[in-house]
Amino acid sequence: MAAEPPPYVVGLPRLDRCLVMGVVNVTPDSFSDGGQFLDPARAVEHGLALAASGADLVDVGGESTRPGAVRPDVTDELARVLPVVNGLAAGGFAVSVDTMRADVAEAAVDAGAVLVNDVSGGRADPRMLAAVAALGVPYVLMHWRAHSVEMHRHTEYDDVVADVTAELRAQLEVAEAAGVDLSRVAVDPGIGFSKTTDQNWELLAGLERLVGPDTGLGRPVLVATSRKRFLGELLVEGGELRPPIDRDDATTATTALAATMGAWCVRVHDVRASADAVRVAARWTRGPA
Ligand code: PMM
């Protein structure tokens, strides 16, 4: 059964279906599309193509969070992200910036970004939550325990759904204390971040507990499974993981399921298929006409 639609994030359109966020990684080393869009003109072109395919938001990031990734310095991150945010926002598209740094969030919002997507949930940069409070933009607060180089060492949970929910709740309180208006905040369980493959599946199966009015956090939930390793492991062939580029059909299946379970937004690389899937899910859960 679908959960009641969650309260929506202030500043984004309220839709009768799950939103689709398309991914533009302006990085040399992202696991899914690293190096393809380092050139700003190519990245903008790709973002426009995602918008034309039905993305409600285009998420621009300049730091890879693949396991083991080394962080770029802030100057490099700004140089990667800003021309792309500028180019897409100038075209009138809703752009989010995927960053853990307050400096980048501020500059990106100045360049036209309408949402800050922070995989660290405000934990990587001590200035981030105050910056988001001052910017007054919607904010995605993800469950996060450690930077990519060491996140695989932080996968201890008693009950992964309950523990992630509790840690998100605690971080929402920190955000509120920093002045962030929680009506502008969506949460994200952080699929693949300090989670084993089994824990990712457990979180997805328990999504209703995160979304649900009694057990959940009372905030919209973003789900980002796209091309992630746990899908490659599920689809292993001849002892080889299915490569990231061939995980889009499986990603679309997760979109349909997440949307049916009440997710507010999915973050995906292949937008067209997910844009269809969220419409199917919305119609499916609405029931007889
Ligand atoms: N995952 C990645 C990057 N950004 N943002 C949110 N909110 N949630 C995620 O799970 C997430 C994210 C890593 O995937 P990518 O390298 O394909 O962008």
Side-chain angles (χ1 to χ4, degrees):
M1 280 299 291
E4 280 294 298
Y8 280 71
V9 173
V10 175
L12 284 177
R14 183 189 175 112
L15 297 178
D16 59 358
R17 59 166 173 78
C18 180
L19 297 169
V20 178
M21 176 187 273
V23 179
V24 180
N25 285 320
V26 196
T27 60
D29 54 345
S30 289
F31 74 94
S32 51
D33 54 5
Q36 282 187 59
F37 308 115
L38 253 184
D39 168 38
R42 284 209 61 200
V44 170
E45 198 182 309
H46 184 58
L48 294 177
L50 296 181
S53 302
D56 300 298
L57 280 162
V58 178
D59 193 37
V60 178
E63 170 173 358
S64 167
T65 48
R66 72 182 297 158
V70 175
R71 304 195 72 190
D73 65 33
V74 65
T75 322
D76 285 344
E77 191 183 343
L78 284 165
R80 289 175 188 175
V81 157
L82 290 184
V84 184
V85 171
N86 242 314
L88 289 170
F93 297 103
V95 179
S96 62
V97 59
D98 184 346
T99 186
M100 293 185 258
R101 289 181 164 126
D103 287 350
V104 178
E106 287 165 340
V109 170
D110 202 40
V114 297
L115 180 148
V116 175
N117 172 27
D118 176 5
V119 299
S120 83
R123 299 188 62 199
D125 181 341
R127 213 171 63 72
M128 179 61 109
L129 293 171
V132 167
L135 290 168
V137 291
Y139 179 60
V140 175
L141 183 154
M142 198 189 84
H143 176 260
W144 186 87
R145 285 182 163 182
H147 281 291
S148 299
V149 282
E150 50 163 346
M151 65 181 174
H152 60 281
R153 288 197 264 111
H154 298 270
T155 58
E156 289 296 315
Y157 300 89
D158 290 328
D159 168 340
V160 70
V161 181
D163 294 356
V164 166
T165 306
E167 288 172 37
L168 282 171
R169 183 174 287 117
Q171 196 59 16
L172 283 172
E173 283 169 15
V174 174
E176 192 169 32
V180 175
D181 173 358
L182 294 192
S183 73
R184 294 181 187 274
V185 178
V187 294
D188 177 343
I191 299 298
F193 288 80
S194 294
K195 319 286 182 317
T196 63
T197 290
D198 286 345
Q199 288 163 349
N200 289 323
W201 287 116
E202 245 182 276
L203 271 171
L204 291 172
L207 199 58
E208 270 171 327
R209 283 163 66 195
L210 261 179
V211 171
D214 302 327
T215 48
L217 294 160
R219 300 307 316 146
V221 176
L222 183 146
V223 177
T225 59
S226 190
R227 297 185 183 170
K228 286 187 176 170
R229 181 186 171 90
F230 76 114
L231 297 176
E233 286 181 13
L234 179 74
L235 305 172
V236 71
E237 284 160 337
E240 298 285 324
L241 296 198
R242 176 81 67 85
I245 195 71
D246 292 327
R247 298 174 190 165
D248 284 336
D249 293 344
T251 300
T252 306
T254 67
T255 290
L257 290 162
T260 306
M261 289 170 88
W264 162 73
C265 183
V266 289
R267 180 184 179 278
V268 294
H269 301 84
D270 174 18
V271 163
R272 211 185 72 87
S274 278
D276 287 355
V278 295
R279 285 165 174 80
V280 170
R283 184 63 189 88
W284 183 292
T285 51
R286 206 171 79 212

